């Protein structure tokens, strides 16, 4: 009898430890990724999850300070480029081994966060992440920035050196000692994507891409097996935008009066570069392909208020431009085709609010 109660007690304590993420194992991993060309509102989704999801860690798995996350908390807007959004909500925030880190940007972001009163001791960097050095930035400015409209943050040359096995890792610079993360992930983990599917090094419109894997499988580079992934949140917008060069988004788009209004109403200017983003009507074929590629289970389509403001509701499907008389009709059309073709999608959410997505959790 005593043995039986002992067993119950052990089981009870084990569950509490596991629930709190104290036990040295990962309970599950949720991933949020972009389904387009970046700028899909991932910052909003990830910060809501970091605030309400009870995660033990929020992690970035790829890219560097080329990304731009805008987070709105109680009417205040914050922007980060490198540090994951967990830091805004008291959650340990890790820059993973697949990321590339510019020391100056990292320092600048820490100072910015400290100045705002956030606890920067929560920020951690994998010693295996690679450094972006000054010569990477100069090279990017001369090459990729001119020919492909990169963000000029040294991303392509830094990854080139990494894969040529000629790079330098964070662990080599003692400045990072205080921030190094060389432990295992445990408990509940949220992985915060940067950029989007169509900027992925393998699946994007090469060479008009970034230099890392933006799809959820890239998150496993943080050091967990794919079986740990529980939910995949996919972020999209009700219209498409592209910052940087891409033949799929010709410069002439900027002259279209309706699309021009979307730029203004939607404030489509880059968080990192300040450049005007090219805007086009939603390409539903590409969105469906991105949902399938990523295995998105919870789809969030943001900025529906911008089309409502404009009172124009258009998208392209099977290469034809289709116009709807109301937002409801457009949403019905999207829902019908997504539900028919994307078998993993369980929830389809539309958001007209820059701070909150209803029913996200
Ligand atoms: P890189 O990542 O700076 O080399 O830029 C490569 C391409 O990806 C360029 O077209 C950039 O504009 C685009 N890009 C990189 N990061 C982002 C992002 O966070 N949002 C939108 N576009 C991005």
């Amino acid at each position: 009898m005593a043995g039986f109660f002992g067993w119950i007690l052990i089981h009870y304590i084990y569950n509490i430890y596991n629930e709190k993420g104290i036990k040295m194992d990962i309970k599950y991993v949720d991933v949020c990724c972009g389904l387009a060309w970046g700028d899909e509102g991932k910052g909003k989704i990830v910060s809501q999850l970091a605030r309400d999801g009870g995660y033990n860690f929020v992690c970035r798995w790829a890219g560097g300070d080329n990304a731009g996350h805008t987070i709105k908390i109680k009417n205040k807007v914050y922007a980060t480029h490198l540090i994951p959004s967990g830091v805004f909500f008291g959650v340990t925030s890790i820059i993973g081994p697949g990321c590339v880190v510019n020391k100056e940007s990292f320092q600048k972001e820490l100072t910015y966060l400290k100045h705002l009163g956030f606890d920067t001791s929560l920020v951690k960097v994998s010693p295996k992440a690679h450094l972006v050095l000054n010569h990477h930035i100069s090279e990017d400015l001369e090459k990729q920035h001119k020919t492909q409209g990169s963000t000029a943050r040294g991303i392509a040359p830094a990854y080139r050196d990494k894969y040529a096995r000629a790079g330098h890792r964070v662990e080599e610079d003692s400045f990072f000692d205080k921030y190094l993360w060389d432990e295992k992930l445990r408990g509940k983990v949220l992985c915060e994507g940067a950029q989007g599917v169509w900027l992925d090094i393998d699946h994007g419109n090469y060479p008009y891409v970034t230099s890392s894997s933006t799809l959820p499988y890239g998150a496993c580079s943080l050091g967990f097996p794919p079986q740990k992934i529980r939910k995949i949140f996919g972020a999209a917008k009700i219209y498409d935008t592209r910052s940087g060069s891409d033949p799929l988004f010709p410069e002439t788009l900027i002259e279209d009066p309706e699309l021009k209004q979307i730029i203004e109403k939607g404030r489509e200017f880059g968080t990192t570069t300040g450049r005007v983003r090219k805007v086009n009507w939603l390409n539903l074929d590409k969105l469906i392909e991105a949902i399938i590629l990523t295995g998105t289970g919870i789809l969030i389509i943001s900025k529906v208020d911008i089309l409502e403001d404009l009172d124009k509701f258009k998208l392209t499907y099977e290469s034809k431009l289709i116009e709807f008389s109301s937002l409801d009709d457009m949403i019905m059309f999207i829902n019908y085709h997504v539900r028919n073709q994307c078998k993993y999608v369980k929830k389809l959410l539309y958001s007209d609010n820059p701070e909150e997505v209803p029913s996200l959790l």
Side-chain angles (χ1 to χ4, degrees), residues 47-58:
S47 51
Q48 194 177 332
L49 292 171
R51 188 192 65 198
D52 303 335
Y55 296 99
N56 300 90
F57 300 96
V58 179

Side-chain angles (χ1 to χ4, degrees), residues 94-115:
I94 298 171
I95 299 170
C99 295
V100 288
V101 182
N102 175 312
K103 181 162 88 174
E104 263 175 47
S105 304
F106 181 66
Q107 243 169 330
K108 223 164 122 185
E109 228 161 270
L110 286 173
T111 309
Y112 165 78
L113 291 167
K114 234 182 237 168
H115 183 74

Side-chain angles (χ1 to χ4, degrees), residues 37-39 66-68 148-152 155 195 199 209-210 242-245 275:
W37 290 266
D39 314 316
N66 50 346
Q148 296 158 13
S150 76
T151 60
I155 304 299
Q195 291 89 38
L199 291 176
V209 293
T210 191
R242 177 70 160 103
S243 95
S245 320
R275 294 181 293 192

Side-chain angles (χ1 to χ4, degrees), residues 35-40 198 236-242 249 253 259 262-263 268 277-287 314 316:
L35 296 173
W37 290 266
D39 314 316
E40 306 96 341
W198 304 124
K237 274 196 302 218
I238 195 91
Y239 53 85
D240 286 336
T241 60
R242 177 70 160 103
F249 287 75
L253 285 171
L259 298 176
I262 297 183
I263 297 178
E268 294 300 344
R277 295 173 185 147
K278 277 158 279 175
V279 170
N280 207 346
W281 303 108
L282 176 71
N283 183 330
L284 185 57
D285 304 285
K286 294 286 264 185
L287 177 61
K314 298 185 193 178
T316 56

Side-chain angles (χ1 to χ4, degrees), residues 137-212:
I137 298 170
S138 321
E139 187 184 336
D140 190 351
L141 261 169
E142 273 310 302
K143 293 181 186 165
Q144 291 83 1
H145 185 59
K146 285 191 180 149
T147 56
Q148 296 158 13
S150 76
T151 60
R153 297 296 193 270
I155 304 299
Y159 275 110
R160 189 252 340 265
D161 282 355
K162 169 179 171 170
Y163 287 103
R165 289 174 253 148
H168 292 279
R169 307 213 291 191
V170 158
E171 65 193 352
E172 294 172 45
D173 186 330
S174 56
F175 163 80
F176 290 97
D177 284 358
K178 217 171 120 190
Y179 302 98
L180 290 187
W181 172 260
D182 211 4
E183 297 169 40
K184 283 203 166 21
L185 293 171
R186 55 188 155 71
K188 302 173 191 171
V189 180
L190 175 63
C191 298
E192 170 178 316
Q195 291 89 38
V197 166
W198 304 124
L199 291 176
D200 180 82
I201 184 75
D202 299 308
H203 297 282
N205 187 18
Y206 191 92
Y208 305 97
V209 293
T210 191
S211 300
S212 53

Side-chain angles (χ1 to χ4, degrees), residues 241-261:
T241 60
R242 177 70 160 103
S243 95
S245 320
D246 194 326
L248 294 174
F249 287 75
E251 297 295 329
T252 47
L253 285 171
I254 291 185
E255 288 150 28
D256 182 293
E258 285 174 354
L259 298 176
K260 216 176 193 165
Q261 283 192 55

